[in-house]
mmCIF file of all heavy atoms in Angstrom:
data_model
loop_
_atom_site.group_PDB
_atom_site.id
_atom_site.type_symbol
_atom_site.label_atom_id
_atom_site.label_comp_id
_atom_site.label_asym_id
_atom_site.label_seq_id
_atom_site.Cartn_x
_atom_site.Cartn_y
_atom_site.Cartn_z
ATOM 1 N N GLN V 199 -19.608 22.957 -3.894
ATOM 2 C CA GLN V 199 -20.192 22.195 -2.784
ATOM 3 C C GLN V 199 -21.245 23.035 -2.074
ATOM 4 O O GLN V 199 -21.066 24.229 -1.878
ATOM 5 C CB GLN V 199 -19.120 21.826 -1.749
ATOM 6 C CG GLN V 199 -18.093 20.848 -2.214
ATOM 7 C CD GLN V 199 -17.109 20.497 -1.106
ATOM 8 O OE1 GLN V 199 -15.910 20.624 -1.296
ATOM 9 N NE2 GLN V 199 -17.614 20.043 0.038
ATOM 10 N N PRO V 201 -24.107 22.533 1.445
ATOM 11 C CA PRO V 201 -23.889 23.908 1.897
ATOM 12 C C PRO V 201 -22.440 24.141 2.300
ATOM 13 O O PRO V 201 -21.638 23.215 2.274
ATOM 14 C CB PRO V 201 -24.795 23.975 3.134
ATOM 15 C CG PRO V 201 -24.726 22.586 3.702
ATOM 16 C CD PRO V 201 -24.671 21.667 2.497
ATOM 17 N N PHE V 203 -21.681 25.549 5.371
ATOM 18 C CA PHE V 203 -21.691 25.305 6.810
ATOM 19 C C PHE V 203 -22.988 24.581 7.168
ATOM 20 O O PHE V 203 -24.017 24.819 6.560
ATOM 21 C CB PHE V 203 -21.620 26.610 7.614
ATOM 22 C CG PHE V 203 -20.414 27.440 7.353
ATOM 23 C CD1 PHE V 203 -20.443 28.441 6.395
ATOM 24 C CD2 PHE V 203 -19.241 27.222 8.046
ATOM 25 C CE1 PHE V 203 -19.328 29.214 6.138
ATOM 26 C CE2 PHE V 203 -18.115 27.990 7.793
ATOM 27 C CZ PHE V 203 -18.160 28.985 6.838
ATOM 28 N N LYS V 207 -28.004 17.976 14.714
ATOM 29 C CA LYS V 207 -28.121 17.297 16.000
ATOM 30 C C LYS V 207 -27.838 15.820 15.789
ATOM 31 O O LYS V 207 -28.081 15.266 14.698
ATOM 32 C CB LYS V 207 -29.512 17.491 16.579
ATOM 33 C CG LYS V 207 -29.816 18.929 16.958
ATOM 34 C CD LYS V 207 -31.189 19.043 17.587
ATOM 35 C CE LYS V 207 -31.467 20.495 17.989
ATOM 36 N NZ LYS V 207 -32.823 20.649 18.577
ATOM 37 N N GLY V 209 -28.136 12.140 15.295
ATOM 38 C CA GLY V 209 -29.252 11.348 14.794
ATOM 39 C C GLY V 209 -29.939 11.935 13.572
ATOM 40 O O GLY V 209 -30.677 11.220 12.876
ATOM 41 N N THR V 213 -27.739 15.561 3.418
ATOM 42 C CA THR V 213 -26.996 15.242 2.202
ATOM 43 C C THR V 213 -26.133 16.424 1.818
ATOM 44 O O THR V 213 -26.621 17.551 1.739
ATOM 45 C CB THR V 213 -27.957 14.898 1.057
ATOM 46 O OG1 THR V 213 -28.742 13.754 1.425
ATOM 47 C CG2 THR V 213 -27.174 14.586 -0.212
ATOM 48 N N CYS V 216 -22.458 18.008 -4.319
ATOM 49 C CA CYS V 216 -21.240 18.375 -5.041
ATOM 50 C C CYS V 216 -21.512 18.297 -6.533
ATOM 51 O O CYS V 216 -22.104 17.310 -7.012
ATOM 52 C CB CYS V 216 -20.095 17.442 -4.676
ATOM 53 S SG CYS V 216 -18.575 17.731 -5.622
ATOM 54 N N MET V 220 -16.337 20.302 -15.185
ATOM 55 C CA MET V 220 -15.112 20.104 -15.967
ATOM 56 C C MET V 220 -15.156 18.815 -16.777
ATOM 57 O O MET V 220 -14.141 18.401 -17.338
ATOM 58 C CB MET V 220 -13.899 20.094 -15.012
ATOM 59 C CG MET V 220 -13.685 21.432 -14.338
ATOM 60 S SD MET V 220 -12.420 21.401 -13.065
ATOM 61 C CE MET V 220 -13.311 20.602 -11.741
ATOM 62 N N HIS V 222 -15.239 15.847 -15.774
ATOM 63 C CA HIS V 222 -14.405 14.795 -15.193
ATOM 64 C C HIS V 222 -15.206 13.526 -14.984
ATOM 65 O O HIS V 222 -16.390 13.579 -14.638
ATOM 66 C CB HIS V 222 -13.834 15.254 -13.851
ATOM 67 C CG HIS V 222 -12.768 16.272 -13.990
ATOM 68 N ND1 HIS V 222 -12.316 17.016 -12.916
ATOM 69 C CD2 HIS V 222 -12.044 16.688 -15.046
ATOM 70 C CE1 HIS V 222 -11.355 17.828 -13.325
ATOM 71 N NE2 HIS V 222 -11.189 17.651 -14.607
ATOM 72 N N LEU V 236 -6.184 14.566 4.848
ATOM 73 C CA LEU V 236 -7.464 14.263 4.207
ATOM 74 C C LEU V 236 -7.585 12.758 4.056
ATOM 75 O O LEU V 236 -6.638 12.094 3.623
ATOM 76 C CB LEU V 236 -7.556 14.921 2.827
ATOM 77 C CG LEU V 236 -7.938 16.397 2.825
ATOM 78 C CD1 LEU V 236 -6.732 17.264 3.134
ATOM 79 C CD2 LEU V 236 -8.534 16.788 1.481
ATOM 80 N N SER V 242 -16.016 7.735 -6.906
ATOM 81 C CA SER V 242 -16.770 7.232 -8.047
ATOM 82 C C SER V 242 -15.884 7.376 -9.265
ATOM 83 O O SER V 242 -15.573 8.488 -9.689
ATOM 84 C CB SER V 242 -18.059 8.035 -8.223
ATOM 85 O OG SER V 242 -18.685 7.704 -9.443
ATOM 86 N N THR V 247 -20.866 4.112 -10.928
ATOM 87 C CA THR V 247 -20.046 3.280 -10.050
ATOM 88 C C THR V 247 -19.612 4.071 -8.825
ATOM 89 O O THR V 247 -19.330 5.262 -8.919
ATOM 90 C CB THR V 247 -18.783 2.763 -10.755
ATOM 91 O OG1 THR V 247 -17.917 3.869 -11.014
ATOM 92 C CG2 THR V 247 -19.117 2.087 -12.070
ATOM 93 N N ASP V 249 -17.278 3.373 -4.942
ATOM 94 C CA ASP V 249 -16.469 2.445 -4.160
ATOM 95 C C ASP V 249 -16.073 3.088 -2.842
ATOM 96 O O ASP V 249 -15.950 4.313 -2.752
ATOM 97 C CB ASP V 249 -15.204 2.049 -4.925
ATOM 98 C CG ASP V 249 -15.493 1.088 -6.040
ATOM 99 O OD1 ASP V 249 -15.757 -0.097 -5.734
ATOM 100 O OD2 ASP V 249 -15.475 1.520 -7.206
ATOM 101 N N VAL V 253 -12.443 5.546 4.965
ATOM 102 C CA VAL V 253 -13.325 5.736 6.122
ATOM 103 C C VAL V 253 -14.790 5.835 5.697
ATOM 104 O O VAL V 253 -15.432 6.867 5.866
ATOM 105 C CB VAL V 253 -12.906 6.988 6.937
ATOM 106 C CG1 VAL V 253 -11.618 6.743 7.684
ATOM 107 C CG2 VAL V 253 -12.772 8.216 6.024
ATOM 108 N N ARG V 261 -23.929 8.727 -7.152
ATOM 109 C CA ARG V 261 -23.424 9.440 -8.334
ATOM 110 C C ARG V 261 -24.641 9.656 -9.226
ATOM 111 O O ARG V 261 -25.035 8.793 -10.009
ATOM 112 C CB ARG V 261 -22.364 8.600 -9.047
ATOM 113 C CG ARG V 261 -21.726 9.321 -10.237
ATOM 114 C CD ARG V 261 -20.826 10.433 -9.817
ATOM 115 N NE ARG V 261 -20.263 11.165 -10.929
ATOM 116 C CZ ARG V 261 -19.095 10.877 -11.503
ATOM 117 N NH1 ARG V 261 -18.370 9.848 -11.077
ATOM 118 N NH2 ARG V 261 -18.667 11.612 -12.492
ATOM 119 N N GLU V 266 -22.693 15.252 -10.846
ATOM 120 C CA GLU V 266 -23.050 15.374 -9.434
ATOM 121 C C GLU V 266 -22.747 14.124 -8.621
ATOM 122 O O GLU V 266 -23.019 12.997 -9.051
ATOM 123 C CB GLU V 266 -24.540 15.705 -9.319
ATOM 124 C CG GLU V 266 -24.922 17.016 -9.984
ATOM 125 C CD GLU V 266 -26.429 17.215 -10.003
ATOM 126 O OE1 GLU V 266 -27.110 16.511 -10.778
ATOM 127 O OE2 GLU V 266 -26.907 18.056 -9.215
ATOM 128 N N LEU V 269 -23.085 13.086 -0.906
ATOM 129 C CA LEU V 269 -22.679 12.326 0.277
ATOM 130 C C LEU V 269 -23.779 12.444 1.314
ATOM 131 O O LEU V 269 -24.186 13.545 1.677
ATOM 132 C CB LEU V 269 -21.374 12.886 0.843
ATOM 133 C CG LEU V 269 -20.835 12.227 2.122
ATOM 134 C CD1 LEU V 269 -20.297 10.835 1.821
ATOM 135 C CD2 LEU V 269 -19.739 13.102 2.739
ATOM 136 N N ARG V 270 -24.264 11.324 1.820
ATOM 137 C CA ARG V 270 -25.372 11.333 2.772
ATOM 138 C C ARG V 270 -24.940 10.765 4.109
ATOM 139 O O ARG V 270 -24.287 9.701 4.165
ATOM 140 C CB ARG V 270 -26.567 10.563 2.230
ATOM 141 C CG ARG V 270 -27.775 10.599 3.173
ATOM 142 C CD ARG V 270 -29.064 10.249 2.466
ATOM 143 N NE ARG V 270 -30.190 10.243 3.393
ATOM 144 C CZ ARG V 270 -30.864 11.343 3.747
ATOM 145 N NH1 ARG V 270 -30.525 12.539 3.251
ATOM 146 N NH2 ARG V 270 -31.898 11.260 4.576
ATOM 147 N N LEU V 271 -25.328 11.479 5.147
ATOM 148 C CA LEU V 271 -25.187 10.994 6.516
ATOM 149 C C LEU V 271 -26.574 10.607 6.978
ATOM 150 O O LEU V 271 -27.457 11.459 7.102
ATOM 151 C CB LEU V 271 -24.625 12.079 7.439
ATOM 152 C CG LEU V 271 -23.151 12.433 7.315
ATOM 153 C CD1 LEU V 271 -22.861 13.168 6.014
ATOM 154 C CD2 LEU V 271 -22.711 13.270 8.511
ATOM 155 N N PRO V 276 -21.454 12.755 16.559
ATOM 156 C CA PRO V 276 -20.435 13.776 16.819
ATOM 157 C C PRO V 276 -19.085 13.469 16.166
ATOM 158 O O PRO V 276 -18.354 14.397 15.794
ATOM 159 C CB PRO V 276 -20.341 13.779 18.354
ATOM 160 C CG PRO V 276 -21.712 13.368 18.801
ATOM 161 C CD PRO V 276 -22.159 12.350 17.785
ATOM 162 N N TYR V 282 -15.653 18.597 5.060
ATOM 163 C CA TYR V 282 -15.796 17.646 3.968
ATOM 164 C C TYR V 282 -15.451 18.320 2.642
ATOM 165 O O TYR V 282 -15.931 19.415 2.343
ATOM 166 C CB TYR V 282 -17.228 17.118 3.926
ATOM 167 C CG TYR V 282 -17.546 16.247 5.111
ATOM 168 C CD1 TYR V 282 -17.978 16.793 6.316
ATOM 169 C CD2 TYR V 282 -17.375 14.865 5.043
ATOM 170 C CE1 TYR V 282 -18.238 15.992 7.418
ATOM 171 C CE2 TYR V 282 -17.642 14.061 6.136
ATOM 172 C CZ TYR V 282 -18.065 14.636 7.319
ATOM 173 O OH TYR V 282 -18.317 13.834 8.409
ATOM 174 N N PHE V 283 -14.612 17.639 1.875
ATOM 175 C CA PHE V 283 -14.213 18.156 0.576
ATOM 176 C C PHE V 283 -14.625 17.186 -0.526
ATOM 177 O O PHE V 283 -14.397 15.983 -0.427
ATOM 178 C CB PHE V 283 -12.705 18.369 0.505
ATOM 179 C CG PHE V 283 -12.231 19.552 1.285
ATOM 180 C CD1 PHE V 283 -11.695 19.396 2.546
ATOM 181 C CD2 PHE V 283 -12.338 20.828 0.749
ATOM 182 C CE1 PHE V 283 -11.259 20.488 3.279
ATOM 183 C CE2 PHE V 283 -11.904 21.933 1.481
ATOM 184 C CZ PHE V 283 -11.372 21.764 2.739
ATOM 185 N N GLY V 291 -4.863 8.948 -15.116
ATOM 186 C CA GLY V 291 -3.553 8.973 -14.491
ATOM 187 C C GLY V 291 -2.590 9.907 -15.189
ATOM 188 O O GLY V 291 -2.959 10.681 -16.049
ATOM 189 N N THR V 295 -4.041 13.129 -13.556
ATOM 190 C CA THR V 295 -4.472 12.614 -12.271
ATOM 191 C C THR V 295 -4.756 13.726 -11.275
ATOM 192 O O THR V 295 -5.290 13.497 -10.213
ATOM 193 C CB THR V 295 -3.413 11.666 -11.687
ATOM 194 O OG1 THR V 295 -3.080 10.697 -12.660
ATOM 195 C CG2 THR V 295 -3.923 10.963 -10.450
ATOM 196 N N GLY V 300 -13.355 21.293 -4.177
ATOM 197 C CA GLY V 300 -14.316 22.313 -3.807
ATOM 198 C C GLY V 300 -13.834 23.082 -2.593
ATOM 199 O O GLY V 300 -12.767 22.808 -2.047
#
Side-chain angles (χ1 to χ4, degrees):
Chain V
Q199 292 182 234
F203 301 93
K207 294 183 179 178
T213 299
C216 175
M220 295 173 283
H222 287 166
L236 279 80
S242 170
T247 68
D249 286 286
V253 288
R261 184 71 183 268
E266 299 173 288
L269 178 72
R270 182 161 178 84
L271 286 70
Y282 292 85
F283 287 99
T295 308

